[in-house]
């Protein structure tokens, strides 16, 4: 870093004075983007029930309702970060919020699962421009020595959204139709727009990169093909099917072409040279793997609490409170643990804790005391907080401040891609294991109903309800097949979390010697000034 450049990057006094209020507005913008997914998690059971209560969505359509959002979001984050760097982050934030609000209003009025998937993709288009801009603005209103604290609070905001989402969704579903879980976004968008116009300063990269349309298209097409193949394999309970294999291999081929194109491009969306830094790569891997495991768990835990245990959407939302509470408690304080033990020990311990909680899920039965689920959720949130905060700081400080949009986009892309693949892969494992477990119990059903009833526990219970007394015999086998499928899926998630722990243990930096640590802190303060 050259000395002459430092004074030019100082935070203006007027902005510095209102930095915490600006952080509050950024967290409100972040809140709706995260809130949307956490609300949807509670609503998926309702949306899967037949009309007029829901849309009668199948398990694969539910996976697409979630993944249409995450894939478009992930695919556009690189470009969104660059657009923000080029034309100004405030403009991008405002535009993204408007698109997100319009998409939310349309999603609320969806008449079919196909429409819901399309409008969720539109919401993701807006969200893709909101998420990286919030962290980029944060990096430009806080001096470097305050950034870890601000990022910790920002990460705690994710925990707040995870807490508010399921409870809000539960209350809305108890009193209104399923579309209300999307319509609730609109007033929050309007409030965030007003506060942003008033408080948030604009900023941009003095030398922004060029937009890379070819890279964007290749990344989105590759991810969609890969995820579509995985979901289709789970739906058919056959990953050796020719169409499934062809789709997955095509997706991998397109993603390989994307990486080669980015390596040769002079204005890449994804600068692959960043990944030569083992610390940066390990932090990215940790984020992707933890979201892979957690998004898959969230997907099946809703069916466990609502379908197997019989809790309402509101009760199911309240049961997730410990997960969110732990994130809110520990995320802002995780930096203190990093100061004491270093990035390697903190992040690795967090991933091991996530692996332990997933293993606990593999022991749950229909009559497991519910307080055990609460303890597991709390520990899961604590583990997540001690992964997200240190890895976010490592990633954001690995690049210069003016490249904050790119660093944020990379971090969020890996989070979203990890989550999308988690839902696709673990959702497919759940679907395949469930179909294999219930198939031999569906013999007495008419041939036309067998295939439908084998798709998911909700499909089986829906068919059972239509058959009346004759269908009651399907309820216990459905619960047993789902519990077995959940156990298999949880153990797969455990394996993924343990891989992440090995990666961070090998490549993240340990705690530096005290003399070196003091020297680094002095350099950080000097850089901020």
């Amino acid at each position: 870093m050259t000395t002459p450049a430092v004074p030019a990057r100082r935070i203006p006094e007027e902005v510095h004075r209102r930095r915490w209020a600006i952080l509050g507005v950024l967290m409100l913008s972040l809140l709706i983007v995260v809130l949307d997914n956490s609300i949807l998690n509670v609503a998926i059971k309702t949306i899967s029930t037949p009309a007029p209560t829901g849309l009668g969505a199948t398990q694969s359509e539910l996976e697409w309702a979630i993944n249409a959002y995450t894939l478009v979001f992930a695919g556009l984050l690189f470009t969104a970060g660059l657009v923000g760097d080029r034309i100004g982050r405030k403009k991008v934030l405002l535009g993204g919020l408007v698109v997100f609000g319009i998409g939310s209003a349309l999603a609320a009025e969806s008449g079919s699962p196909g429409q819901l998937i399309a409008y969720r993709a539109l919401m993701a288009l807006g969200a893709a421009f909101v998420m990286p801009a919030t962290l980029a603005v944060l990096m430009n209103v806080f001096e470097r020595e305050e950034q870890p604290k601000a990022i910790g609070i920002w990460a705690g905001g994710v925990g707040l959204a995870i807490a508010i989402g399921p409870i809000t969704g539960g209350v809305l579903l108890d009193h209104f139709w399923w579309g209300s879980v999307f319509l609730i976004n609109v007033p929050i968008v309007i409030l965030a727009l007003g506060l942003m116009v008033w408080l948030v300063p604009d900023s941009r990269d003095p030398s922004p990169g060029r937009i890379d349309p070819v890279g964007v298209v290749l990344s989105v097409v590759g991810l969609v093909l890969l995820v579509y193949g995985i979901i289709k394999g789970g739906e058919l309970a056959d990953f050796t099917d020719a169409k499934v294999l062809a789709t997955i291999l095509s997706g991998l081929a397109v993603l390989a072409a994307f990486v080669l194109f980015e390596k040769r491009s002079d204005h890449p969306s994804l600068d692959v040279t960043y990944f030569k830094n083992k610390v940066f790569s390990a932090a990215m891997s940790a984020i992707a793997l933890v979201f892979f495991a957690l998004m898959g768990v969230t997907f099946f835990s809703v069916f466990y609490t609502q379908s197997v245990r019989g809790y309402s959407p509101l009760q199911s939302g309240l049961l997730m409170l410990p997960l969110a509470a732990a994130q809110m408690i520990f995320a802002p304080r995780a930096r203190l643990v990093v100061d004491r033990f270093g990035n390697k020990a903190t992040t690795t311990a967090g991933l091991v804790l996530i692996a332990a909680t997933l293993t606990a899920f593999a022991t749950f039965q229909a009559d497991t005391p519910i307080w055990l689920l609460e303890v597991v959720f709390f520990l899961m949130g604590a583990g997540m907080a001690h992964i997200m905060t240190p890895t976010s700081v490592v990633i954001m400080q690995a690049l210069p401040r003016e490249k904050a949009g790119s660093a944020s986009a990379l971090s969020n892309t890996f989070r979203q891609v990890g989550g999308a693949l988690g839902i696709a892969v673990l959702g497919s494992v759940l679907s395949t294991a469930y179909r294999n477990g219930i198939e031999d119990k569906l013999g007495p059903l008419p041939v036309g109903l067998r295939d439908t009833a084998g798709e998911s526990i909700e499909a089986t219970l829906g068919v059972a309800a239509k058959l009346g007394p004759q269908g009651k015999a399907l309820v216990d086998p459905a619960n047993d097949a789902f519990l077995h499928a959940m156990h298999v899926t949880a153990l797969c998630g455990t394996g993924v979390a343990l891989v992440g722990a090995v990666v961070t243990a090998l490549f993240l930096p340990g705690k530096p010697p005290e003399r070196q640590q003091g020297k680094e802190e002095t350099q950080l303060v000097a850089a901020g000034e």
Side-chain angles (χ1 to χ4, degrees):
M1 190 180 289
T2 56
T3 310
V6 174
R9 298 302 303 159
R10 286 186 65 180
I11 310 294
E13 182 58 33
E14 184 189 352
V15 173
H16 182 74
R17 278 201 310 269
R18 63 175 195 264
R19 65 196 185 283
W20 297 109
I22 292 168
L23 178 60
V25 180
L26 296 177
M27 285 174 66
L28 182 63
S29 306
L30 176 73
L31 184 78
I32 57 166
V33 174
V34 180
L35 185 78
D36 180 70
N37 269 340
S38 59
I39 280 184
L40 184 62
N41 284 333
V42 174
I44 54 177
K45 180 182 179 292
T46 307
I47 294 170
S48 70
T49 55
T53 306
L55 291 174
T58 65
Q59 187 154 315
S60 61
E61 285 170 336
L62 288 174
E63 289 176 40
W64 273 114
I66 297 170
N67 280 339
Y69 186 90
T70 50
L71 288 174
V72 172
F73 192 40
L76 293 176
L77 276 171
F78 295 126
T79 300
L82 281 170
V83 171
D85 289 345
R86 178 180 288 272
I87 69 170
R89 283 110 188 198
K90 181 175 181 175
K91 296 183 187 74
V92 162
L93 265 172
L94 292 170
L97 282 170
V98 168
V99 173
F100 185 85
I102 292 168
S104 298
L106 291 170
E109 299 299 326
S110 298
S112 68
Q115 284 184 9
L116 178 61
I117 291 165
Y119 294 139
R120 290 271 298 157
L122 179 63
M123 291 168 69
L125 173 65
F129 286 86
V130 173
M131 179 72 102
T134 60
L135 201 46
V137 170
L138 181 154
M139 299 298 284
N140 278 276
V141 298
F142 284 91
E143 298 290 359
R144 193 171 174 94
E145 70 273 12
E146 278 191 324
Q147 286 172 8
K149 182 180 179 183
I151 289 172
I153 295 169
W154 180 88
V158 176
L160 181 66
I162 291 171
I164 293 172
I167 296 166
T168 307
V171 170
L172 290 169
L173 290 170
D174 271 6
H175 294 91
F176 305 102
W177 93 117
W178 64 267
S180 60
V181 301
F182 297 111
L183 202 60
I184 190 67
N185 291 332
V186 176
I188 304 173
V189 164
I190 293 168
L191 175 62
L193 285 170
L195 290 171
M196 198 169 292
V197 169
W198 177 37
L199 281 172
V200 175
D202 207 354
S203 63
R204 66 184 72 193
D205 186 343
S207 53
R210 284 157 57 200
I211 305 299
D212 173 26
V214 176
V216 171
V217 170
L218 286 173
S219 64
V220 173
V221 170
L223 284 169
V224 168
L225 283 171
L226 176 62
V227 170
Y228 179 82
I230 294 168
I231 291 175
K232 194 67 181 173
E235 192 182 335
L236 298 173
D238 180 13
F239 284 89
T240 60
D241 180 86
K243 286 182 182 175
V244 170
L245 281 174
T247 310
I248 291 173
L249 291 173
S250 300
L252 291 172
V254 174
L255 289 174
F258 166 70
V259 172
L260 289 171
F261 181 82
E262 297 301 282
K263 282 178 81 171
R264 295 176 183 179
S265 174
D266 59 356
H267 57 286
S269 292
L270 170 61
D271 192 339
V272 291
T273 59
Y274 294 154
F275 293 91
K276 290 179 180 177
N277 181 330
K278 289 180 182 177
V279 172
F280 184 84
S281 297
M284 285 293 192
S285 301
I287 282 180
L289 291 171
V290 75
F291 268 82
F292 182 101
L294 283 172
M295 290 295 281
V297 170
T298 309
F299 188 75
F300 70 63
S301 67
V302 172
F303 289 103
Y304 172 67
T305 54
Q306 292 186 36
S307 299
V308 177
R309 302 300 296 259
Y311 290 102
S312 70
L314 176 56
Q315 290 169 327
S316 183
L318 289 169
L319 287 173
M320 294 188 76
L321 260 180
L323 175 69
Q327 282 198 59
M328 289 167 63
I329 292 165
F330 294 112
R333 295 170 175 79
R335 64 192 175 85
L336 304 175
V337 181
V338 173
D339 290 344
R340 178 85 182 270
F341 299 105
N343 272 307
K344 183 196 293 271
T346 306
T347 310
T348 303
L351 281 158
V352 170
L353 183 56
I354 292 285
T357 58
L358 290 168
T359 304
F361 259 106
T363 68
F364 285 177
Q365 301 297 331
D367 57 354
T368 298
I370 206 66
W371 65 265
L372 281 175
L373 177 68
E374 300 299 87
V375 170
V376 166
F377 273 148
F378 185 82
L379 293 174
M380 195 174 277
M384 194 174 172
H386 288 94
I387 298 162
M388 293 310 300
T389 301
T391 51
S392 295
V393 172
V394 166
I395 291 161
M396 293 306 290
Q397 294 195 340
L399 301 179
R401 180 187 284 169
E402 62 271 16
K403 299 295 180 187
S406 301
S408 172
L410 275 169
S411 169
N412 283 296
T413 297
F414 271 67
R415 184 184 306 181
Q416 293 300 322
V417 169
L421 289 174
I423 290 167
V425 173
L426 296 182
S428 294
V429 169
L430 184 75
S431 193
T432 303
Y434 180 78
R435 188 181 280 276
N436 290 339
I438 196 69
E439 230 162 13
D440 60 343
K441 307 291 192 301
L442 301 176
L445 293 180
V447 177
L449 284 178
R450 283 179 208 165
D451 196 49
T452 305
E455 282 181 355
S456 66
I457 184 170
E458 272 310 299
T460 309
L461 296 177
V463 169
K466 286 178 185 173
L467 293 174
Q470 183 193 348
K472 285 185 180 176
L474 283 176
V475 174
D476 286 340
N479 285 342
D480 292 341
F482 177 82
L483 287 169
H484 170 69
M486 183 179 85
H487 295 162
V488 172
T489 309
L491 289 174
C492 289
T494 300
V496 170
L498 288 175
V499 169
V502 171
V503 169
T504 56
L506 288 174
F507 299 115
L508 278 193
K511 186 185 177 188
E514 282 189 30
R515 186 181 298 174
Q516 184 187 339
Q517 194 175 8
K519 184 180 176 183
E520 285 176 0
E521 285 169 3
T522 305
Q523 287 172 343
L524 286 181
V525 173
E529 291 168 357

